[in-house]
Amino acid sequence: MLPDRRLHNIINVSKIMKVIVTAGPTREALDPVRYISNGSTGKMGYALAFAAVERGHEVALISGPSPLEPPTQAKLIEVNTAAEMLKAVEDMVDWCDSLVMAAAVADWRPKVISEHKMKKDMNTPTIEIERTTDILKQIAPRKENRIFVGFAAESQDLRQEASRKLKEKDLDLIVANNITEPGVGFGSDTNRVLMLAKDGHEQELPLMAKKKVADTIIEWLEIKNER
Ligand code: CTP
């Protein structure tokens, strides 16, 4: 009998998916040298891009600033801000059959970007911030029969928050993690996630390498795409 892995590879041959993966943080400039961002390094998103490429799929990787090497087979689209990431997703969405939003998109940006570097001998500035656009919500009307996967980085109420985001963002799957746990979250090579699907299925994975988590998510997409 063929091992499971071979069976998956045979499924891959019959259906090559076109997958958009977003990864990394976004940076929202305050002045030419400062920005609002977060601690995302892109490890989860890049692991997803590698997993999809290795399994024979076509991948567009839309990445915020990250020190990581992307897979050479993926089409890399580099962005800085949430607005640029939104534009890149909007430009590519018609091409894909799956979108995996692993990026840690900044939720706020400074309302005004100072043209020149703010000097510390000026009055201490009050920085007014405004919301960025929620990319998943904005793109939801263009979902059609595409499969959309989101992530939920939480520090409390993991299940409730994940399930709220699954519904509010019209997702097929949400991958949630508690970023306060050791070995989980930004910069770590491992992750422990709870996967909640729209169809009610759920899976709690143990702490494992981000690449293994990525393989599991891509496998889930393959099965979904076959249906
Ligand atoms: N996301 C997005 N656009 C944003 C912010 C987040 O598309 N402006 C996506 C993320 O890529 C992720 C999902 O939405 O797939 C959830 O992101 P998360 O930061 O966990 O949640 P938020 O939507 O920011 O909600 P909250 O602030 O309540 O945690």
Side-chain angles (χ1 to χ4, degrees), residues 110-190:
K111 211 163 182 179
V112 176
I113 304 174
S114 166
E115 189 190 344
H116 297 290
K117 185 183 172 195
M118 294 189 291
K119 291 294 185 179
K120 65 175 175 292
D121 61 2
M122 68 193 226
N123 286 339
T124 303
T126 301
I127 298 156
E128 223 187 316
I129 57 175
E130 63 184 5
R131 287 278 294 272
T132 58
T133 304
D134 190 298
I135 299 173
L136 279 170
K137 283 188 184 166
Q138 184 76 15
I139 212 78
R142 292 173 66 187
K143 187 169 183 295
E144 297 171 2
N145 53 1
R146 297 183 176 83
I147 297 170
F148 282 8
V149 178
F151 275 71
E154 307 297 339
S155 60
Q156 57 183 350
D157 305 329
L158 185 74
R159 178 177 290 270
Q160 295 92 305
E161 282 302 287
S163 136
R164 175 179 69 80
K165 288 174 189 178
L166 178 73
K167 289 190 197 83
E168 280 184 11
K169 299 188 186 227
D170 191 18
L171 302 172
D172 299 283
L173 178 74
I174 191 137
V175 182
N177 58 10
N178 182 337
I179 40 131
T180 64
E181 276 181 25
V184 175
F186 296 155
S188 162
D189 288 319
T190 53

Side-chain angles (χ1 to χ4, degrees), residues 190-205:
T190 53
N191 205 353
R192 194 173 83 84
V193 303
L194 168 68
M195 291 168 64
L196 298 181
K198 188 185 186 171
D199 62 15
H201 281 104
E202 61 173 81
Q203 206 180 341
E204 214 172 332
L205 301 181

Side-chain angles (χ1 to χ4, degrees), residues 12 15-21 48-49 51-61 73-75 92 95-98 218 221:
N12 281 352
K15 173 103 200 240
I16 294 171
M17 302 188 295
K18 293 185 168 77
V19 188
I20 297 176
V21 178
L48 281 155
V53 156
E54 277 170 26
R55 298 170 75 92
H57 304 297
E58 291 179 36
V59 176
L61 174 61
Q73 303 93 322
K75 177 184 166 65
M92 295 286 310
W95 165 84
C96 81
D97 37 41
S98 304
I218 300 299
L221 277 179

